[in-house]
Amino acid sequence: MKEDQSQKPLLEAQNIELRYNDKPILKELSMDILSGGVTALLGTNGSGKSTLLKTMARLLMPQKGCVYLDGHAIAKESPRSLARKMAILPQSPEVPMAITVRELVEQGRYPHVGPLRMLKKQDHAAIEEALEVTGMQAFEQRPLDSLSGGERQRAWIAMAIAQSTPVLMLDEPTTFLDVRHQLEILELVRRLNQERGTTIIVVLHDLNQAARYADRMVVLKDGRIVRDGTPDRVLTEAVLQEVFGIHATVLKDPVAGTPIFLPHSVVHREG
Amino acid sequence: MKHGYPEISWSSLQQLLFFNGGTELERVSVLEIRFPRIVLGCMAGAMLGLCGVLLQDGLRNSLAGPELLGVSSGASFMMALVTVLHVPVSYGMQPWFALLGGLIGGAVVILAAGGRNGGIHIILIGAAVTAIMNGLVVWVITMGSSNSASLLFTFLMGNLANRNWTHVGHLLPWALVTIPLSLSFARSLNVLRLGSETAEGLGLHFMRVRIYLLIVCCAMTAAVVSQCGPIGYIALIAPHLIRSLSQQYDAKFVLPFSAMLGAVLLTTADILARTMFMPREVPVGLWTTLIGGPVIIALFLRKLGGRPSE
């Protein structure tokens, strides 16, 4: 630990190795997440970014290595107590039949109430707040399957917010949405981070959006972290060429000041 | 309670139940024959109805039911063995044997299906195990004497006939334990409906809950089978009827109402079984299957028609 002692990592992956059907997905991977930032996990398809997110949320168990939350190994924690500390929203979760937005958001309180007890005052408060933050109050009685993609995604995020956890993980929350709804989700994520101090880890596909909304970009390739740092240091022409296989020009976003790239052509590899 | 031979009027029924009135024949046929039968039917129906909800929501497969999980047939097979081989067990022990058989049937299916890839795998393997178990039952029957074979035959049809307070007494403790247990799963079932990953993210121990669910279902089914024989389709139909009538999928609602509907369905079917072809009785299991099959087909056809995209 060369860093300042006050900046102990909130979430820590140590030498994670994970194989699926003998195919290594994550190789000797280590990563620290400090409290309070927005971290974007990036990489090409099959690079292991979603797998890393799921491993950190304990949806997958690594064959080797360990994930620590606040210094405690998550493998040893009960699912319930873990779910009170971090929430994960899987990629495009299935939509159950005839469930309303409010009923969905209520499920976020599952780790907080006993198996028989009813929802209490603070549960209802958390549900109201989650609906309000996501702007879903007007939709609360609507069935989930009657909503548009963007509204539905906001409902799912509201459920994760109702879980009231200091850490929120999102797996490709913008996939399949049109650009306006993509920005809506990303702005919501940013706001959660700034206003409530939620530590956010999000898997994204769009590098420009990641550069715009994340404090830190972590780029994976073949199960390893190949770049890790601020958007200015990660979104470079060299990275785009080596990791993503495209020739591109990187500019400065005239409004946000973050790096932005314009793709030109695919890199053709010889041999 | 009123119907059947001897036909009893409402007023004398009232007399009989509350004031110890009526003739001796009426008293016996109502208090000793019909009343326990209705109580038994209610308990068994409620347990089967709950079982259906637990399995359908728990395995996230709308076709799940104790019949298709090897539980019913496992329990039947054990009962067949006990009956035909004249295993010297007391009457009170029989549910335990049925339970053992049911658990073995269920465990084989769960282990063979292995791990998380629930849904369709479990059903396919369950169907296979059920077929094997049924084959074994036939084999056991052929070994037995014709007397025990015919005894077993009426049992395997699923029957509420000739049941008395002893049977009620045997089923009651099971019902008292498993019915509240089933209802306590409501919250978990609701979370499970969001998919296994989301459920786990919400702090549900997915495998553990699934195993608890299956054990409770095995216990309920086995207890019912040991007292009434395998009664088909109640578990499958009651939850579906409730869901499509109410358009509610919330387990907190579906669980208790399926239990009630299961009880109503089974006792109604039993009354039909008793009175339709009087004085002959049609085993109630036959009724539920004969009526249940077409109802299920109708339900699924309607669902398919209404939502072509799904």
Side-chain angles (χ1 to χ4, degrees):
Chain A
M1 297 274 154
K2 281 157 277 170
E3 260 82 38
D4 184 5
Q5 274 299 312
S6 66
Q7 280 289 58
K8 265 207 307 201
L10 177 65
L11 191 61
E12 207 179 350
Q14 267 182 19
N15 302 321
I16 298 294
E17 244 187 81
L18 193 136
R19 284 180 301 277
Y20 187 73
N21 290 340
D22 275 342
K23 194 175 160 260
I25 309 289
L26 299 176
K27 302 165 189 166
E28 284 286 316
L29 189 149
S30 295
M31 183 171 75
D32 292 351
I33 302 278
L34 299 180
S35 178
V38 176
T39 305
L41 300 181
L42 303 146
T44 52
N45 293 330
S47 59
K49 55 190 189 304
S50 280
T51 307
L52 175 59
L53 190 80
K54 284 183 196 168
T55 309
M56 288 196 298
R58 214 180 72 164
L59 292 184
L60 294 173
M61 291 288 189
Q63 275 89 10
K64 266 194 210 154
C66 195
V67 179
Y68 298 92
L69 178 67
D70 269 331
H72 301 288
I74 62 168
K76 289 187 186 132
E77 272 200 67
S78 83
R80 254 169 73 88
S81 84
L82 196 63
R84 275 178 256 163
K85 294 175 191 158
M86 57 188 183
I88 178 158
L89 200 56
Q91 189 184 352
S92 39
E94 54 203 284
V95 178
M97 298 271 281
I99 190 170
T100 65
V101 171
R102 197 188 177 84
E103 283 167 352
L104 178 71
V105 178
E106 269 178 24
Q107 306 306 320
R109 300 306 295 170
Y110 181 78
H112 297 276
V113 297
L116 278 174
R117 273 167 280 161
M118 297 280 113
L119 293 177
K120 286 203 260 335
K121 214 176 180 181
Q122 71 263 31
D123 296 313
H124 286 294
I127 293 164
E128 284 316 321
E129 209 186 324
L131 287 167
E132 195 192 314
V133 174
T134 51
M136 291 304 287
Q137 276 161 321
F139 298 93
E140 62 168 292
Q141 294 308 330
R142 291 267 301 273
L144 194 62
D145 48 14
S146 74
L147 302 180
S148 75
E151 293 158 353
R152 208 180 282 180
Q153 188 61 271
R154 266 170 30 217
W156 282 105
I157 293 177
M159 181 193 85
I161 293 173
Q163 217 173 318
S164 315
T165 55
V167 182
L168 173 61
M169 302 186 192
L170 304 156
D171 195 354
E172 300 200 21
T174 54
T175 311
F176 306 123
L177 300 183
D178 58 50
V179 67
R180 179 173 188 269
H181 290 113
Q182 289 187 11
L183 288 195
E184 221 171 61
I185 298 294
L186 290 167
E187 280 177 8
L188 172 61
V189 165
R190 183 85 254 187
R191 220 168 58 236
L192 286 176
N193 171 253
Q194 285 171 347
E195 290 171 11
R196 315 171 119 228
T198 310
T199 306
I200 287 165
I201 308 167
V202 55
V203 172
L204 288 175
H205 252 299
D206 189 310
L207 295 167
N208 284 334
Q209 287 179 353
R212 172 84 193 276
Y213 289 98
D215 307 307
R216 175 181 172 196
M217 292 168 76
V218 177
V219 180
L220 279 88
K221 189 185 182 183
D222 299 328
R224 290 197 173 89
I225 292 175
V226 288
R227 286 293 190 291
D228 184 351
T230 59
D232 281 319
R233 290 174 55 186
V234 172
L235 191 59
T236 60
E237 285 163 17
V239 170
L240 288 165
Q241 190 174 336
E242 287 159 29
V243 182
F244 293 93
I246 55 166
H247 294 295
T249 308
V250 174
L251 306 167
K252 211 172 195 41
D253 182 325
V255 179
T258 50
I260 184 168
F261 79 95
L262 299 171
H264 298 312
S265 62
V266 171
V267 175
H268 292 283
R269 295 184 178 90
E270 297 93 55
Chain B
M1 277 194 256
K2 188 173 158 295
H3 297 289
Y5 180 82
E7 187 85 25
I8 295 160
S9 69
W10 282 114
S11 60
S12 56
L13 183 65
Q14 211 178 8
Q15 280 283 318
L16 209 130
L17 284 178
F18 302 112
F19 309 107
N20 262 339
T23 65
E24 186 61 25
L25 177 64
E26 285 175 345
R27 280 178 52 79
V28 169
S29 52
V30 171
L31 290 181
E32 297 298 322
I33 298 174
R34 293 181 202 168
F35 197 23
R37 208 167 152 165
I38 286 173
V39 174
L40 193 66
C42 280
M43 280 198 294
M47 286 161 85
L48 290 172
L50 287 171
C51 219
V53 185
L54 293 186
L55 289 174
Q56 285 161 20
D57 280 354
L59 302 178
R60 288 187 296 130
N61 187 313
S62 49
L63 281 176
E67 304 89 348
L68 284 175
L69 283 174
V71 178
S72 278
S73 52
S76 305
F77 172 62
M78 255 336 212
M79 292 299 281
L81 269 185
V82 170
T83 317
V84 169
L85 302 180
H86 300 290
V87 181
V89 287
S90 73
Y91 217 60
M93 283 297 287
Q94 283 191 2
W96 293 101
F97 275 86
L99 179 70
L100 187 68
L103 281 175
I104 291 171
V108 167
V109 172
I110 295 157
L111 291 177
R116 245 163 226 268
N117 46 9
I120 197 76
H121 285 94
I122 290 195
I123 299 298
L124 287 174
I125 293 168
V129 171
T130 302
I132 295 169
M133 292 285 190
N134 286 339
L136 287 174
V137 168
V138 174
W139 178 62
V140 168
I141 290 177
T142 57
M143 295 197 312
S145 64
S146 63
N147 187 24
S148 52
S150 67
L151 193 79
L152 203 57
F153 181 73
T154 47
F155 168 78
L156 289 176
M157 289 319 297
N159 216 327
L160 287 174
N162 308 321
R163 301 297 191 269
N164 53 39
W165 290 112
T166 331
H167 296 88
V168 173
H170 285 151
L171 194 57
L172 189 65
W174 293 89
L176 286 180
V177 174
T178 55
I179 289 176
L181 262 181
S182 313
L183 294 174
S184 75
F185 277 112
R187 287 196 69 83
S188 304
L189 287 182
N190 276 340
V191 170
L192 262 177
R193 285 171 57 216
L194 308 179
S196 56
E197 282 195 343
T198 313
E200 240 171 76
L202 286 168
L204 181 106
H205 204 306
F206 180 67
M207 285 312 286
R208 197 182 288 170
V209 168
R210 193 173 256 192
I211 287 172
Y212 287 161
L213 276 177
L214 287 165
I215 291 174
V216 171
C217 279
C218 285
M220 283 199 282
T221 315
V224 170
V225 169
S226 70
Q227 296 309 320
C228 315
I231 295 170
Y233 285 94
I234 299 279
L236 195 56
I237 285 182
H240 279 294
L241 267 180
I242 290 292
R243 289 192 200 107
S244 69
L245 287 179
S246 67
Q247 289 300 316
Q248 274 270 12
Y249 285 75
D250 185 344
K252 275 181 276 182
F253 175 88
V254 177
L255 273 172
F257 280 91
S258 290
M260 281 183 235
L261 185 65
V264 170
L265 282 179
L266 187 53
T267 42
T268 315
D270 183 50
I271 290 170
L272 282 180
R274 218 150 46 84
T275 54
M276 198 85 158
F277 299 105
M278 238 170 16
R280 288 191 69 88
E281 278 210 17
V282 183
V284 68
L286 204 61
W287 267 116
T288 56
T289 310
L290 284 179
I291 299 171
V295 169
I296 273 296
I297 293 173
L299 275 177
F300 280 123
L301 282 182
R302 219 184 69 175
K303 213 181 250 178
L304 288 177
R307 287 171 172 255
S309 58
E310 286 196 358

